[in-house]
Amino acid sequence: MKAAVLYKNERYLKIEEVSKKTISPGMVRIKIKCCGVCGSDLHMTLHAKLSLPHYPVILGHESSGVVNEIGEGVTKFKKGDRVVISSGISCGTCNHCLEGRLNLCAKKGVLGSEHDGAFAEEVVIHERFLFHLPDDIPFDQGAILADAVSTPYHAIKYEGRINQGETVVIVGCGGLGIHGVGIAKALGAGRIIAVDLDEGALQNASLYGATDLINAKKIKNIGKTLKEITNGVDLLCDFSGYYKNISDSVRAMNTGGRMVLVGIGMNALKIGFPLMMIDRMISVIGSIGCDTRAIPELISLIQSKKLDLSRSITSTHKLEEVNDCLENLDQRKGNPIRFIIEPD
Ligand SMILES: [Zn+2]
Ligand SMILES: [Zn+2]
């Protein structure tokens, strides 16, 4: 089968023929229909920020497809079923996994990093990483549920514990943050303040329901600005990873405020005096991926028309165009939300 493979010390993916995987008990073979190109793919390729435990590896972790073959003992899926593949992979036996909280598993990994991914014609994976995709949701929207939508959903709903009418700040409105805006709206946020350096990203955020747009290039200190324009921030979700945004925002947080960190950053935070954090009971919480609740709940939000992902698909491409998509995403060419690869 054809796949986009990353070799060690390479910055681009190589499209090549790889051998098909055999199918063992509990495993399912999926013909991939769509796979999103994510900012985290840039960390492993063009930006060379993350190195992986083994190479070569097939990238791609936001995917959907159709079940093509089932292994012995598979009970929840049959040939022809439409599915979303979880981007998080976990051991399946620890207490967290047994409760469906795979993002807490000590042995967790990511499809398309620690495990061969979905920039390929097929993926073979255990049935516990699959979710049924209803016929009324297209494959491209189904694919991005696996990370671009489910990661902010988990961060905002389960770690951020959003309440109706709260003031929410979304810092960084790329592929994940933009869905953070839409999810905050769907879950009943009052004011949604979007922060980014890029005007195009802010325009996207207003389409998804942001009530206030802040171009971080035009202000000196985000904490000061937020303090001036709000009566206190209840929930701040950071997708930028930029240490200064997070450090400076602490002082704008309301009593009981939650700061949820999703964006990967490389500089230390300076989050201020313990007394302020204690007195106002401010939480700073890290959040990665999602657990098994997110994708089914998101499917319900889409079906009840509370969340519209139709604008999230920027364009669709052949597998051979994956490196162009990475470059265009890196340069934000065409103000992309998600480029989709169709390996079929
Ligand atoms: Zn991703
Ligand atoms: Zn586990």
Side-chain angles (χ1 to χ4, degrees), residues 46-58:
L46 300 188
H47 300 169
K49 264 199 226 161
L50 287 180
S51 67
L52 298 175
H54 0 258
Y55 294 91
V57 65
I58 301 169

Side-chain angles (χ1 to χ4, degrees), residues 91-92 94 97 105:
C91 80
C94 73
C97 282
C105 175

Side-chain angles (χ1 to χ4, degrees), residues 36-41 61-62 87 110 146-148 151 176 338:
V37 181
C38 176
S40 65
D41 294 321
H61 58 271
E62 286 184 359
S87 61
V110 180
D147 177 31
T151 295
L176 270 71
R338 269 298 184 262

